[in-house]
Amino acid sequence: MSTAPYIPQIRRYQQWLGEHRGLHFADYDALWRWSVTDIEAFWQSIRDYFDLRSPTPHSAVLERNVMPGARWFPGAQANYVHQVFRHVDAAHAAGFPAVISRNEKGTHRELSWPELRRQVAAMALHLQAQGVHPGDRVAAYLPNTPETMVAFLAVVAIGGVWSICAPDMGTNAVLDRFRQIDPVVLIACDGVTYGGRDHDRLGVVAELRAALPTVRHVVLHTNLADTPAAREAALARSAPCADFELVTARADPPTLAFEPLWLPFDHPLWIVYSSGTTGLPKPIVHGHGGTVLVSMALKALHNDIGCSYDPNSWGERYHWYSSTGWVMWNAQVGGLLGGTTCVIYDGNPGGSKERPDWTVLWRFAAETGVTFFGAGAAFYANCMKAGVDIAACGDLRPVRALGSTGSPLSEDVQRWGTEQFDRIHPERGGPIWWCNISGGTDFAGAFIGGHRDLPQTPGRMQCRLMGCAVEAWDEQGRPVMDAVGELVCTQPIPSMPLYFVGDVGHKRLIGSYFDMYPPGHGRGPQGTDLGPEAGAVWRHGDWLRIHPDGSCVIYGRSDATINRHGLRMGTSELYSAVEALPEVLDSMVVDLEYLGRESWMPLFVVLRDGHALDDALTGRIQAAIRTALSPRFVPDAIYQVSEIPRTLSGKKQELPIKKLLLGQPLEKVINREAMANPACLDWYVQLAAQRTAAAG
């Protein structure tokens, strides 16, 4: 059978709407407007179209239209793993694996659907035996391997709440997250291979264990150890702990009979982290039912990713490169919800520092028959800069879609990729389809994305997604078209956060997304206002432009959060690492990701008297960031300055300096009279002028 769908998934859904609901739309704009005005009918249609099941009925689709606090499908039950397990028999009978994986060392594995189910059941029963109950939190420090997928599914199958950090994150950054959630179990690895080097993580695991007093059980995945003796040594260093491999080897009758628990629709699924500019990372809780519902709509209808054993999308293989520290890992696992084979890679997509190689993922995709290839926008830009000839990487004709997210994809890079695939598959009959999406960790979904049947314009995303009442607003809270404004969402979405952990009265949740515009303003459909009791609109923190044809461009963050290759980090976390150095008195960082330009992130430091920014200190600053956060957040340039610009109340002026360095005039971005030290601006103005002149 063909690897390319004969009918785009969104077209099949529209045909279903006509046959089962009597709904017909002249164009996508009309379909989108229906989906964001009659939101209950839309989300009920998604639930019915994908046959999402519950042993009990729901009393309403949306109990009360309010933000935050919307309650979806009260009375219904759900479990993420029920939706995964329903595909086991059919997918296996069709001969398709659940997961295909590879790492830098070339270790290639395939995990069948029945084996996935058995291992999940074995781990779930082990965790139950350790006293893990519904609502208990389980922390993971694991790489992008099949074991991590198994661990996740096992935790949530029994109602546990999953939370993961990538093993390239340092102890402090991980503890800033896990200390907030009081995990009862830690599932960790002995180390990772990245950039051609093995990185032992048992020391970090020991530090995490010592600093997390609620952890009463540890499971160790020996990811680095490749011999029985090495495995025994790693397990001995982490004792007492359970051996992941031994735990998941169980195959007795209770394991084979295991069924996931049915849970309330809004039972917590996972905790993910999104950092603002101040304070600790936000521990965001999403629910089972809403996450599954939104994931199915996004992945199938807008990303056009089909079920591997459906004749229309026979043999579908879905790859989106990610680390476990990025929400795209969650999106990759979500392929299992639709019965799709997930193809994952653990390692550096650019080779090693000594031997850079941006063909790694392309060769992997060719060898595994990937049909949907996704990565961060920065990956494609690096491939272009490295002069990669994708056609020389193997047979990539099965690839029918390229996904991009994490930062804006530039027009030049998209044209480059299209030309590459024109040479690979000239008989395709048209350019490769780019599924460029933008959304976030915050609601485990996307606001802007793709549509298989709409025209493509390089450098733009094709449309606002169904069910997402997204608008661009000016400073007065008025919708604007064909102009840059704040990205807002005026109607609730089922995957919006249930709450933040430890957030008394939801103050932090409201402050993160709902405090910019007054409650009731813009909350009604099509620009009307509801009363204050309806709550406020969601402000996402991105600059958005909606073109008259419905296509969209994201112009980067409207706040000062760092966004490096799709991974967000609060500036406060970087300051904690840098200002811990005795030589550094003060610091400020800005990330100049904007309109698809190459991201440039400078760090400004004020040093103690008698110190200068020499090579040695620069190296220590870089090492501090690399150790505490991740190598991804090492700045592109470090400048010694006399002062960090601050407001009269002492706040660092990150956003005004970001705007200044992006070329906006000083008088439009900052009020000198509101500053504690306005004289220091002259240096930053000069730097901005130098950058403008260099850009030509």
Side-chain angles (χ1 to χ4, degrees), residues 510-588:
I510 292 168
S512 296
Y513 310 112
F514 297 105
D515 69 347
M516 186 165 182
Y517 303 102
H521 175 80
R523 272 288 287 112
Q526 304 302 306
T528 60
D529 287 349
L530 298 175
E533 69 280 359
V537 304
W538 174 289
R539 171 188 169 264
H540 194 56
D542 280 342
W543 296 122
L544 168 68
R545 181 176 194 157
I546 305 169
H547 290 269
D549 65 356
S551 63
C552 300
V553 177
I554 295 287
Y555 289 78
R557 296 292 295 168
S558 62
D559 59 23
T561 302
I562 307 167
N563 181 7
R564 298 289 275 179
H565 312 303
L567 300 181
R568 288 181 183 168
M569 185 72 70
T571 52
S572 60
E573 296 184 76
L574 190 142
Y575 299 147
S576 295
V578 171
E579 293 170 19
L581 295 171
E583 300 93 339
V584 179
L585 282 175
D586 202 0
S587 63
M588 182 177 72

Side-chain angles (χ1 to χ4, degrees), residues 156-398:
V156 303
I158 60 172
V161 187
W162 170 264
S163 192
I164 189 168
C165 285
D168 68 349
M169 296 176 67
T171 306
N172 292 341
V174 176
L175 287 175
D176 280 348
R177 289 154 175 78
F178 288 167
R179 271 184 175 140
Q180 298 185 70
I181 69 169
D182 296 330
V184 299
V185 171
L186 174 65
I187 306 177
C189 65
D190 59 342
V192 291
T193 302
Y194 192 86
R197 292 185 173 86
D198 288 346
H199 302 273
D200 185 289
R201 285 292 181 262
L202 288 177
V204 176
V205 173
E207 291 174 334
L208 296 179
R209 186 177 205 157
L212 296 169
T214 55
V215 168
R216 56 178 185 257
H217 183 63
V218 173
V219 181
L220 188 73
H221 163 40
T222 49
N223 182 58
L224 273 189
D226 53 6
T227 65
R231 289 185 65 252
E232 284 186 23
L235 291 163
R237 282 179 62 189
S238 299
C241 68
D243 178 352
F244 192 110
E245 186 176 67
L246 190 60
V247 166
T248 54
R250 179 176 172 179
D252 57 1
T255 305
L256 301 178
F258 173 81
E259 288 291 335
L261 299 178
W262 283 110
L263 304 162
F265 187 86
D266 59 357
H267 185 84
L269 170 69
W270 57 42
I271 301 167
V272 292
Y273 304 90
S274 185
S275 296
T277 56
T278 59
L280 292 170
K282 299 171 291 193
I284 303 168
V285 182
H286 298 129
H288 275 255
T291 301
V292 170
L293 195 65
V294 169
S295 179
M296 294 299 293
L298 169 62
K299 221 165 288 349
L301 304 186
H302 280 286
N303 292 3
D304 199 39
I305 297 167
C307 172
S308 296
Y309 60 88
D310 187 316
N312 187 60
S313 46
W314 189 262
E316 187 86 290
R317 291 190 169 188
Y318 166 47
H319 164 79
W320 201 304
Y321 175 77
S322 179
S323 82
T324 51
W326 188 19
V327 75
M328 293 313 298
W329 177 83
N330 305 66
Q332 174 76 82
V333 177
L336 297 173
L337 292 168
T340 309
T341 297
C342 293
V343 183
I344 62 174
Y345 183 83
D346 186 45
N348 189 340
S352 65
K353 186 177 292 185
E354 294 78 17
R355 296 182 62 187
D357 180 4
W358 288 98
T359 69
V360 170
L361 291 184
W362 297 115
R363 290 185 283 108
F364 173 53
E367 291 163 17
T368 53
V370 164
T371 56
F372 185 106
F373 181 99
F379 168 79
Y380 297 106
N382 281 317
C383 289
M384 184 181 77
K385 285 184 289 184
V388 168
D389 178 7
I390 300 177
C393 297
D395 184 4
L396 286 159
R397 286 175 297 174

Side-chain angles (χ1 to χ4, degrees), residues 601-621:
M601 190 176 83
L603 171 68
F604 307 99
V605 293
V606 179
L607 303 181
R608 294 185 185 277
D609 289 342
H611 292 278
L613 188 65
D614 55 16
D615 290 346
L617 181 54
T618 297
R620 286 199 297 278
I621 292 172

Side-chain angles (χ1 to χ4, degrees), residues 658-676:
K658 174 179 177 175
K659 292 179 178 179
L660 179 68
L661 292 173
L662 287 170
Q664 298 187 38
L666 179 67
E667 61 274 11
K668 289 195 173 183
V669 301
I670 204 162
N671 178 6
R672 286 179 176 267
E673 294 181 359
M675 287 189 63

Side-chain angles (χ1 to χ4, degrees), residues 88 92 98 110-121 150 248-251:
V88 169
H92 185 62
E110 295 194 6
L111 186 65
S112 72
W113 284 91
E115 182 65 4
L116 173 71
R117 178 172 58 188
R118 189 197 60 74
Q119 289 190 24
V120 168
V150 167
T248 54
R250 179 176 172 179

Side-chain angles (χ1 to χ4, degrees), residues 13-35:
Y13 167 68
Q14 286 187 254
Q15 291 170 351
W16 182 91
L17 283 177
E19 294 169 6
H20 294 268
R21 297 290 193 270
L23 293 171
H24 303 275
F25 301 96
D27 53 23
Y28 178 71
D29 184 66
L31 171 62
W32 174 78
R33 290 185 184 281
W34 166 74
S35 76

Side-chain angles (χ1 to χ4, degrees), residues 435-472:
C435 180
N436 303 329
I437 66 173
S438 181
T441 301
D442 312 77
F443 64 104
F447 282 138
I448 317 290
H451 186 307
R452 205 67 170 82
D453 281 341
L454 289 180
Q456 297 189 88
T457 302
R460 298 187 194 175
M461 288 166 281
Q462 290 171 289
C463 62
R464 291 172 281 183
L465 300 196
M466 290 184 294
C468 300
V470 167
E471 296 177 347

